[in-house]
Amino acid sequence: SQQGEEDPQALSIQEGENATMNCSYKTSINNLQWYRQNSGRGLVHLILIRSNEREKHSGRLRVTLDTSKKSSSLLITASRAADTASYFCATSDSSNFGNEKLTFGTGTRLTIIP
Amino acid sequence: EPEVTQTPSHQVTQMGQEVILRCVPISNHLYFYWYRQILGQKVEFLVSFYNNEISEKSEIFDDQFSVERPDGSNFTLKIRSTKLEDSAMYFCASSGPGTATRGFGPGTRLTVT
C-alpha cells in the first residue's frame, strides 16, 4: 500500500452518529495532519498530531496516533450534515517545520445523512 | 483570518499553450508550495520554495514547470507547454516558520483541451 491510505474509502452515517476514519502509512513520520475538502474546494487544515503524541482533541474531533502500527484515526463526534466532505491524512517526515512536503492519503468520502 | 488566495479559479487552455497560475500566500509566511490533484485522485506534492529558491520538487515537477516569486506577495506556477495530463486542480499553500500546518488556497482548476 502507499504512504497514507485511508479507510474506509467511503462512509455514510446518520446525523448525530460518530464517524471514524483511519489512515495508515509506511515510513517514519514527524507529524501527521488531517484535512477536510468539500467537493471541488480547497483543503482545510483540521488538526496536527506529532509523532511523540498519542491523542489530540479539537472540538468534536479526536485524533489518535499509533506509531508502532503506523496508523492514525480521526473521530468526528455528533456528526452534522455540514461534516459531509472528503477527509485526508497527510504525513511529514521532516522536523524542519514549515519547509517540508506533505504526503497525502487517498481520502475518505464522508456523507452525513440528515 | 488570513487566507491563501489563488487566481484564476478556473483556466481552460489548449494543449501546448503556456499557463501561469497565481497565488498570494499568507503575508508573514516564508515557505510556499504547489500541490496538484487530478480528479478523483490524491493530492500530490509538486514543489516547495523558500528564500527565493526551490527547496524540494517531486518527479512530476519536470522542466515544463517553473515557480517564481516575482514580488513580495505573489507566488506563481508556470507550465510552459501544457499537456492533456496536466488537467488537474492546482493548490497553492504557505506556512510560517516553526509551524507544520499549511494554509491552502481554494485551488485553480486547469483544463487542458
Side-chain angles (χ1 to χ4, degrees), chain B residues 1-35:
Chain B
E1 189 171 332
E3 294 179 336
V4 177
T5 59
Q6 290 184 242
T7 54
S9 57
H10 191 191
Q11 172 104 38
V12 181
T13 189
Q14 289 191 329
M15 194 168 52
Q17 295 295 306
E18 174 183 286
V19 294
I20 297 176
L21 310 183
R22 302 181 192 280
C23 167
V24 179
I26 295 171
S27 63
N28 63 343
H29 282 181
L30 301 178
Y31 306 95
F32 314 111
Y33 314 83
W34 284 100
Y35 290 79

Side-chain angles (χ1 to χ4, degrees), chain A residues 52-66:
Chain A
N52 61 354
E53 297 176 311
R54 292 297 168 257
E55 187 172 313
K56 208 160 182 183
H57 297 254
S58 177
R60 293 184 296 114
L61 305 180
R62 173 179 168 248
V63 169
T64 63
L65 179 65
D66 187 335

Side-chain angles (χ1 to χ4, degrees), chain A residues 2-5 31 33 35 37 40-43 45 48 50 88 96-106, chain B residues 31 33 35 37 41-43 45 48 50 55-56 89 91 95-102 104-107 109:
Chain A
Q2 298 180 21
Q3 180 82 342
E5 288 199 344
N31 66 76
Q33 305 174 35
Y35 286 82
Q37 184 183 35
R41 305 294 294 275
L43 295 156
H45 178 263
L48 177 150
R50 302 188 197 288
F88 296 89
N96 184 12
F97 283 157
N99 191 21
E100 82 276 24
K101 70 177 185 182
L102 294 177
T103 300
F104 281 82
T106 51
Chain B
Y31 306 95
Y33 314 83
Y35 290 79
Q37 184 182 32
Q41 298 186 23
K42 62 169 69 177
V43 176
F45 169 80
S48 60
Y50 169 70
S55 303
E56 187 173 357
M89 184 77 93
F91 294 106
S95 61
T99 175
T101 63
R102 300 287 182 281
F104 275 85
R109 180 167 297 284

